[in-house]
Amino acid sequence: MMQLFKSLPIAWVVLLLWFQGHSTAEAVCPEHWTTDNDSCYILMEQKKTWKKAQSTCRKFGGNLATIANPSENHVLDKLLPETEAWIGLRDHVNEGTFKWIKTSTTPLWTNWAPGEPNNARRNEYCVVIMPGGNWNDEPCSYIRKFICEKPA
Ligand SMILES: [Ca+2]
Ligand SMILES: [Ca+2]
């Protein structure tokens, strides 16, 4: 490296050092994952039940996605095809009390579709994000595409 510096004008050395520092500060997600702030997201195309979807996300070092605000919701909505996808939210312990799988906390912000969550046939404990970004509770046994999230 020192040999390289001696042969370069000082301006180029400064630029090179700045670029190295700058580029390592950027969060980097693996190929095919979408970066947003400190998270990586991916839409998994192979449809699974909520539980199998979650265990697949775990294998990739993450969880089914947590959505904190409209900006994150928009990032996930952009990943969606024309079908809905599981996210990491469910109310299987106490009906109507939804909690994120990652943090076991109730959402501070939600984006339910009109009339949802309706717990249809008293059998809807898992949540999807639908094209357009609204959420709906559905039976956990349905097979759906799903969105994983992991730290960048
Ligand atoms: Ca429910
Ligand atoms: Ca529903």
Side-chain angles (χ1 to χ4, degrees):
M1 200 63 164
M2 288 316 294
Q3 207 57 34
L4 177 66
F5 280 9
K6 278 177 195 162
S7 65
L8 287 171
I10 191 68
W12 284 109
V13 173
V14 169
L15 192 64
L16 180 67
L17 289 173
W18 175 84
F19 183 76
Q20 280 188 332
H22 187 73
S23 59
T24 51
E26 295 282 328
V28 178
C29 291
E31 200 181 358
H32 307 305
W33 292 66
T34 297
T35 309
D36 181 57
N37 292 320
D38 295 329
S39 285
C40 307
Y41 299 96
I42 192 167
L43 175 76
M44 296 292 188
E45 299 276 352
Q46 195 189 353
K47 296 180 179 178
K48 297 187 176 186
T49 64
W50 190 95
K51 259 190 185 167
K52 285 186 174 165
Q54 168 62 10
S55 69
T56 300
C57 292
R58 296 292 301 165
K59 282 179 197 154
F60 282 92
N63 291 283
L64 282 169
T66 300
I67 306 174
N69 54 52
S71 153
E72 282 184 34
N73 202 72
H74 183 65
V75 169
L76 268 62
D77 180 30
K78 281 196 298 183
L79 296 177
L80 288 180
E82 283 150 26
T83 55
E84 61 268 78
W86 292 127
I87 57 174
L89 190 62
R90 57 179 179 167
D91 72 334
H92 68 304
V93 177
N94 292 309
E95 171 52 37
T97 303
F98 288 88
K99 291 193 172 177
W100 294 115
I101 183 72
K102 186 186 173 191
T103 55
S104 294
T105 56
T106 54
L108 299 175
W109 178 84
T110 60
N111 199 37
W112 298 110
E116 304 294 348
N118 65 349
N119 199 39
R121 290 174 294 280
R122 298 180 185 173
N123 186 37
E124 297 193 324
Y125 302 101
C126 291
V127 178
V128 290
I129 182 172
M130 304 189 289
N134 279 334
W135 305 355
N136 179 23
D137 58 340
E138 292 192 340
C140 302
S141 58
Y142 281 8
I143 55 162
R144 297 281 182 239
K145 295 182 180 184
F146 53 101
I147 299 172
C148 297
E149 173 178 2
K150 66 176 183 173

